[in-house]
Amino acid sequence: MTKIDIFSGFLGAGKTTLIKKLIAEAFKGEKIVLIENEFGEIGIDGGFLKEAGVQINEMNSGCICCSLVGDFGKALEKVLTEYTPDRILIEPSGVGKLSDVIKAVSKVVTDEVVLNSFVTVADASKCKMYMKNFGEFYNNQIENASTIILSRTQNISEDKLNKCIELLRSLNDKASVVTTPWDNLTGKQILTAIENKNSLLDELMSDEEVCPECGHHHDHDEECHHEHHHDHDEECHHEHHHDHDEECHHEHHHDHDEECHHEHHHHHHADEVFTSWGKETTKKFTIAEIEEILKNLNDTEKYGIILRAKGIVQGTDGEWIHFDFVPEESNIRIGCSDYTGRLCVIGSKINEPELKKLFKLI
């Protein structure tokens, strides 16, 4: 029997950190395969997880919601045949739609392969901002989760945490929500919270259908009205287009403190909204230089809306610098070496020429 667990979450939410914790503390003795999908030209996380001795099967051909119907199904079949694992962990792209992943995985479910859980990791300090600005992708991950695990809850006030939970509950009132800081929980406790929701998972899979048009759950007797429909192989032309440099303003706007309820659905692929820039480099950096670079990435006017940056680069003293960035927060550590330096930046309307200058790669 092979269990499949899906760990979704918006860019920088902490999916990889959670998976590493579960591998170290909850999955000991199990034969595990991780399938991850990077939105970007260069995969970074694979190196982090190889440190834990996990088999990696990376698919960097595009975001998971776009390449999933063909490549993803084949990848799953290959993993099941070649490795016969006890558990498959699927880490979709941070901008992938969870409903698409569930739909693809459901096609390989048999008596010997079960969809065990679909988890969404959400940064408690940023849920309102992401819900407001990237609702189509962010909300889909929340709405389709059987368990929502909040990260960075130790960094915000109780009032802000409660408001975050209220927003999440407005989208999904069935999932369990883990709010305790991860350092205060063991991996086994987190796994128990995830797997105890199997009854909910069954309910979500049987009582509701995932609509292939909007990616949301609908009751069987609920009619789903969409403004435009597309056949499976039909190219999807949206009624609203944006030039490459044009800021995308959605039809609904909210004041800063207004609760964001979306009553209609957009139908974008991730690569229409998000872009990535990645480079391999032999350039050496000091920690101070990396700190300054990550600080500058918060300048949205100059560099675009940078949602995630991560990399492994060689330091001037011979050590290897691992870095990770999400808006207003960054992490730098010394880690294992890699075959070459690599970095990747993901965001919306990113300015590649300015990024090259920032990283001194020109």
Side-chain angles (χ1 to χ4, degrees), residues 31 169 208 336 343:
K31 187 177 181 182
R169 285 297 186 202
E208 300 177 331
C336 65
L343 55 93

Side-chain angles (χ1 to χ4, degrees), residues 39 63 65-66 95 97 100 136-137 236 238 267-274:
F39 180 90
C63 75
C65 59
C66 300
V95 294
K97 292 181 178 178
D100 286 343
E136 177 185 0
F137 299 92
C236 176
H238 301 288
H267 307 282
H268 291 103
H269 288 302
D271 54 8
E272 293 178 284
V273 178
F274 304 97

Side-chain angles (χ1 to χ4, degrees), residues 33 35 57 74-85 88:
V33 171
I35 298 179
N57 188 346
K74 290 179 182 177
L76 264 181
E77 293 287 357
K78 181 179 179 181
V79 163
L80 289 165
T81 301
E82 294 187 6
Y83 297 102
T84 58
I88 296 175

